[in-house]
Amino acid sequence: MTNSKTVDVAFSSFYGEQLDAQVRRAYLMLSDNEAANDVVHEAMIAVYRRWDTIDQPAAYLNRSVLNGCRDVGRRRNSSSRLLARIARNDVAQPASDSLADLLSRLPYHHRAAIVLRFYSDFSTREIAEALDCAPGSVGPWIERGLLAMKKAL
Amino acid sequence: MNDFESRLMQMLDERAGIAQPHDRLVSVIDPAIVSPRHAGPSARWRVMVAVAAILALGLTGWAIVTKKDHHEPASNPASPTTRVTEAEDASPTTPVASASPTSTEPATTAAETEVPTATPTTTVTLAPAASSPASTNTAASIPVSSTAETIDNPDIPVTGRFQTPDDQLAIAMADTEVDRECMAAKGWRYPATTAQDWAEFGGAWQPDAVLGVRGLVAASTFGYHGTNIDDATQPAQILFRTLSSQEKKRFGTDSNACFGELTAAFGGDLYVRQQSARAFVIGIVGEDFKRMTPATDEVASAEGGPAVTAALASWRSCLQSAVGETAATPSEMEGRYRFAVSVTTHEKLVARADVVCQQQTSLWLIDRTAVAAKERELMGDNVDTYDELSRLNQQMAAKARQILADRGILVPSL
């Protein structure tokens, strides 16, 4: 990686273009502003380090952020019981946020596919690329996710 | 597009609008910011700018980065004297306070230590967590010899940037306490996090290629359904979700102001330098991008080196002897149980044996030593940043313990 001024200028531009949308999408995945910012910035650093060798930095960033969201989500699942206990013991039960609740209940791939389709307006091919999966998987994930949300609503 | 999908799009747009992107470009592209001791006036100026930017922009997200670094399983000393039991009375009732909560003793460095040799263990005894020895700085308490799988810089801990689980817990607790105090002064009441909850948090499973559940309290309480209370360590997050939109705005303003007090409590410069170095190092070694970065493959290969391989073999033998089952790694063992619907008594027994076997084989120390050495190699020309992060992590832990000691707060045993 060349830490030249040219690279910094190019990356800075890329950073400015991507930051807002990436954080907002990560927020939809995680429902946690700080975690979303952290995931995006760790991915940004990875992109910056490999700026000279990555052909499609935006696609790389998409995958990195989504992978980060998946890891954070996995950790969080295991914490939900204790969170509930603390909340029950010490403060009033949090008000339900229906969309966040519904999204958080979906399996990772279903949730990611829905966010990418209905928030980021990605095509099936773009979603498959971002989730590193076969395009044929995307449709069923979206369908199942929507079905689960409809049922819950 | 049907009505439901239209509604969904609208809801997603509205919800995404709540997010607040934090501009941290300076810490992404400028590693020099973390090494002011090597820097001239220009770099020092950048540090000041970064501090000012963080405070001015209210980057509260930085306040939790330390907690998110809790990826390393613990290795508490195990009691060799108690019998194996499946009885529920083996579960702890209350965590034991650390014997030396005010300790600021630095972790052992590569110059002072020897890498332990893992020896097969044929018997395991499971002490109730409540009667286990108080948690200590594992890196400091286990002898480590110098080998090719250790860091060659005598000025930093053999485990490099990896903080002991006890240090990680101390930092999380200090963060939370300073924030709670500040917010309480502004009229916000936070739920109290109990010592038991902290102990569960500190010893819970974290994502890792090799290591799994790390504390007896967590293993006894949750088995492999371990908790990772990222949010629970931030009572502000819990309270926040109970608030109205208007209250949330006021809360956000107060929270941003308290972040300034948090950085000040840790020493503003120390806090910023540690966070910046951590972000830069993690970005290079790519913990969270295991499938995408060659660097992480190399780190993984370090964990398959002779020292770690021997330690894992000992751990497998130990666990097999104790509970009649084993796995390639603690991480794999965790994966067998954690997706079950509920925790069983047997699962808790296995998890406790797992933790004890990790302790008896010094698995955490051996693994982190090897990984740290590999990570340091991967830093290439930026190795100074890695070493700086290692030192800063020690300083952060010492400061956190001081903050807690000043308030009479004990770090619970894991």
Side-chain angles (χ1 to χ4, degrees):
Chain A
M1 167 103 208
T2 307
N3 282 316
S4 68
K5 236 176 185 173
T6 307
V7 169
D8 284 355
V9 169
F11 179 81
S12 297
S13 173
F14 171 79
Y15 180 94
E17 291 167 6
Q18 293 285 332
L19 178 65
D20 193 80
Q22 292 287 352
V23 170
R24 294 186 191 287
R25 187 192 305 149
Y27 180 75
L28 289 175
M29 293 293 294
L30 299 171
S31 297
D32 182 324
N33 193 58
E34 284 71 29
N37 272 282
D38 289 342
V39 164
V40 169
H41 281 87
E42 288 179 7
M44 284 286 191
I45 289 168
V47 170
Y48 179 68
R49 289 284 304 165
R50 296 162 178 79
W51 186 256
D52 287 343
T53 58
I54 298 173
D55 291 334
Q56 296 178 302
Y60 187 99
L61 182 66
N62 284 338
R63 278 191 289 166
S64 295
V65 170
L66 288 165
N67 284 340
C69 291
R70 178 183 53 197
D71 289 345
V72 169
R74 190 182 179 213
R75 293 199 295 272
R76 181 177 296 155
N77 283 341
S78 60
S79 75
S80 56
R81 253 178 325 161
L82 182 57
L83 273 175
R85 180 148 60 86
I86 289 173
R88 187 170 58 249
N89 288 344
D90 297 285
V91 297
Q93 201 69 312
S96 174
D97 182 330
S98 60
L99 179 60
D101 285 349
L102 292 176
L103 275 174
S104 66
R105 284 180 209 157
L106 295 180
Y108 163 76
H109 283 108
H110 298 185
R111 185 166 73 245
I114 283 177
V115 169
L116 292 171
R117 169 62 55 82
F118 294 103
Y119 175 69
S120 300
D121 200 24
F122 276 24
S123 67
T124 297
R125 184 186 59 76
E126 289 170 325
I127 295 172
E129 186 181 357
L131 296 179
D132 197 20
C133 67
S137 300
V138 173
W141 283 340
I142 293 175
E143 282 178 25
R144 287 177 205 158
L146 290 176
L147 187 62
M149 294 179 82
K150 282 178 186 173
K151 278 184 180 175
L153 283 173
Chain B
M1 185 167 296
N2 59 38
D3 284 348
F4 177 78
E5 291 173 357
S6 298
R7 242 175 82 206
L8 176 62
M9 284 183 67
Q10 186 181 349
M11 285 193 294
L12 288 169
D13 276 339
E14 288 174 359
R15 182 154 183 82
I18 298 171
Q20 296 176 317
H22 298 161
D23 190 331
R24 304 175 190 166
L25 178 62
V26 65
S27 68
V28 174
I29 68 172
D30 192 353
I33 194 172
V34 303
S35 301
R37 69 193 175 87
H38 297 306
S42 175
R44 281 196 292 274
W45 176 82
R46 285 195 292 268
V47 170
M48 294 169 63
V49 169
V51 173
I54 288 167
L55 298 179
L57 294 172
L59 302 187
T60 53
W62 286 49
I64 68 165
V65 175
T66 305
K67 300 180 190 75
K68 292 176 67 54
D69 196 21
H70 289 240
H71 287 260
E72 301 83 32
S75 178
N76 292 339
S79 165
T81 57
T82 3
R83 63 189 170 81
V84 176
T85 175
E86 278 198 50
E88 284 294 350
D89 63 4
S91 299
T93 52
T94 54
V96 178
S98 169
S100 54
T102 61
S103 169
T104 56
E105 182 180 352
T108 306
T109 63
E112 302 164 333
T113 54
E114 297 180 10
V115 173
T117 303
T119 53
T121 307
T122 54
T123 57
V124 156
T125 50
L126 302 180
S131 63
S132 65
S135 187
T136 59
N137 183 329
T138 307
S141 61
I142 299 176
V144 178
S145 72
S146 191
T147 75
E149 292 181 67
T150 62
I151 288 173
D152 62 4
N153 183 344
D155 297 329
I156 63 172
V158 291
T159 52
R161 72 182 175 92
F162 295 105
Q163 294 165 316
T164 64
D166 302 288
D167 282 351
Q168 293 174 351
L169 182 58
I171 292 171
M173 291 177 70
D175 267 11
T176 302
E177 183 58 20
V178 171
D179 184 69
R180 188 195 64 77
E181 283 178 3
C182 177
M183 291 298 276
K186 296 178 185 299
W188 300 103
R189 174 178 170 266
Y190 284 176
T193 304
T194 66
Q196 172 77 13
D197 288 335
W198 278 122
E200 291 167 0
F201 161 72
W205 168 85
Q206 299 281 344
D208 189 279
V210 171
L211 302 163
V213 65
R214 56 187 182 173
L216 283 173
V217 176
S220 300
T221 309
F222 294 105
Y224 288 104
H225 288 64
T227 177
N228 175 318
I229 55 172
D230 280 351
D231 286 341
T233 59
Q234 298 176 71
Q237 295 279 344
I238 300 170
L239 177 61
F240 184 77
R241 291 195 287 272
T242 70
L243 304 176
S244 68
S245 297
Q246 197 168 8
E247 288 172 328
K248 283 179 178 176
K249 284 181 183 173
R250 187 167 69 83
F251 184 97
T253 302
D254 289 345
S255 180
N256 286 344
C258 285
F259 179 63
E261 292 202 17
L262 177 63
T263 57
F266 274 88
D269 181 57
L270 171 63
Y271 207 100
V272 171
R273 286 160 60 206
Q274 192 269 351
Q275 300 288 1
S276 298
R278 181 188 170 278
F280 186 72
V281 170
I282 296 260
I284 291 177
V285 301
E287 269 190 347
D288 291 331
F289 310 109
K290 290 173 181 167
R291 291 151 299 280
M292 303 176 62
T293 57
T296 308
D297 292 341
E298 292 184 48
V299 171
S301 73
E303 293 186 275
V308 177
T309 300
L312 281 172
S314 296
W315 171 84
R316 283 193 286 271
S317 171
C318 173
L319 192 58
Q320 180 70 46
S321 298
V323 295
E325 58 183 295
T326 192
T329 64
S331 180
E332 184 180 309
M333 200 66 190
E334 176 268 343
R336 289 185 189 173
Y337 283 95
R338 78 179 298 267
F339 297 107
V341 175
S342 59
V343 184
T344 64
T345 301
H346 175 71
E347 178 185 332
K348 292 178 184 176
L349 176 78
V350 173
R352 287 168 54 81
D354 182 345
V355 172
V356 171
C357 287
Q358 288 185 52
Q359 295 167 351
Q360 290 189 351
T361 57
S362 301
L363 186 58
W364 181 88
L365 175 60
I366 294 170
D367 181 83
R368 295 297 97 166
T369 298
V371 175
K374 193 65 185 176
E375 283 188 349
R376 196 165 172 276
E377 284 180 21
L378 292 171
M379 294 299 293
D381 294 341
N382 297 296
V383 68
D384 281 353
T385 305
Y386 191 91
D387 292 352
E388 182 73 357
L389 175 62
S390 302
R391 281 186 286 268
L392 291 169
N393 279 345
Q394 284 186 281
Q395 294 172 28
M396 286 286 288
K399 187 67 184 174
R401 289 181 183 279
Q402 183 188 324
I403 289 171
L404 294 172
D406 290 346
R407 290 159 175 78
I409 298 172
L410 302 181
V411 180
S413 173
L414 301 180

